[in-house]
Amino acid sequence: MINDQTSDELIIRRVQNGLTELFSHIVERYENNIFSMGMRFFYNYEDSLDFTQEVFLKAFDRIHQYREIAPFKFWLVRLAYNLGINIKKKIRVDQEFDESYILYDGSSPDISLIDKEIRDIILHEISGLPERYRICLDFYFFFGLKYSEISDITGYPVNTIKSDVLRAKKILRQRLKGTIAEV
């Protein structure tokens, strides 16, 4: 029986052993994370949906390559990152950031409006960061990866990642100063 406490690795072992229908649990666990990564790459709802689908198709096709050397989440994020980079190399995206994917939590309309305004400001400022800063910031804060894991995915040295995260935070603090989103 699969539940929220079942490890990714156990699910993947079972998928590798022929219970392919269990892969849907992996999709449910990580589809929002992968979609968010797609938004960071493509700034477009439809392209991010396509990206998410393509990541999971590739992950499923390559599931037998996963060997439990690192946590499955790390393997999946690395696969998604590499796919995103490869897609961006093929096509340059010059589209505005599409924030229609942001979901609301059912709070009162006033609170939801304020939350949306804060999110809009923060997302706008994050999207204006240099790509390398944005990638390191996303992996560190939104995906909860360690500096060493980010280094393994991106190929950037650990100290460069630490510097990029610190610089990104400093830039964001400056840009958010005087706004409703000021920290």
Side-chain angles (χ1 to χ4, degrees):
M1 179 176 171
I2 303 296
N3 60 41
D4 291 345
Q5 311 310 312
T6 306
S7 73
D8 294 340
E9 290 71 24
L10 179 60
I11 295 171
I12 295 306
R13 268 184 253 126
R14 289 180 178 171
V15 171
Q16 290 171 332
N17 289 325
L19 295 173
T20 57
E21 66 277 3
L22 296 181
F23 192 74
S24 65
H25 293 282
I26 295 296
V27 173
E28 288 174 20
R29 284 185 184 180
Y30 294 109
E31 65 188 340
N32 289 335
N33 293 63
I34 300 302
F35 178 81
S36 294
M37 184 185 291
M39 287 299 289
R40 302 271 192 295
F41 274 118
F42 307 110
Y43 307 108
N44 175 288
Y45 184 85
E46 293 300 321
D47 291 342
S48 298
L49 281 177
D50 292 345
F51 170 76
T52 302
Q53 184 176 15
E54 193 167 342
V55 166
F56 286 112
L57 286 172
K58 278 199 183 304
F60 185 78
D61 286 344
R62 298 177 180 179
I63 203 69
H64 290 288
Q65 295 175 6
Y66 176 66
R67 301 282 181 238
E68 292 190 44
I69 295 168
F72 177 77
K73 178 182 179 180
F74 176 77
W75 183 85
L76 181 64
V77 168
R78 184 176 190 153
L79 185 143
Y81 173 77
N82 289 335
L83 179 63
I85 292 294
N86 289 336
I87 291 170
K88 281 195 76 159
K89 284 179 185 175
K90 290 179 186 173
I91 54 168
R92 284 287 155 208
V93 178
D94 293 324
Q95 299 168 336
E96 287 296 313
F97 187 75
D98 178 2
E99 296 159 352
S100 63
Y101 76 97
I102 298 173
L103 302 175
Y104 295 102
D105 62 3
S107 302
S108 73
D110 291 343
I111 292 173
S112 291
L113 185 61
I114 292 169
D115 287 349
K116 182 187 180 322
E117 186 174 341
I118 291 170
R119 276 192 299 267
D120 289 350
I121 291 168
I122 291 171
L123 290 172
H124 174 75
E125 294 304 333
I126 288 173
S127 70
L129 291 171
E131 185 171 334
R132 194 174 84 195
Y133 291 5
R134 198 172 58 245
I135 288 167
C136 292
L137 196 68
D138 284 347
F139 283 152
Y140 186 73
F141 287 107
F142 297 114
F143 290 92
L145 298 177
K146 299 174 186 166
Y147 294 124
S148 60
E149 293 171 328
I150 299 169
S151 176
D152 288 341
I153 291 171
T154 62
Y156 303 149
V158 171
N159 286 335
T160 300
I161 293 165
K162 289 179 181 178
S163 295
D164 288 352
V165 169
L166 287 174
R167 286 184 186 126
K169 286 169 45 178
K170 183 177 179 181
I171 291 168
L172 286 174
R173 256 190 235 104
Q174 290 172 333
R175 290 182 181 175
L176 294 174
K177 193 171 187 171
T179 71
I180 192 171
E182 183 175 9
V183 180

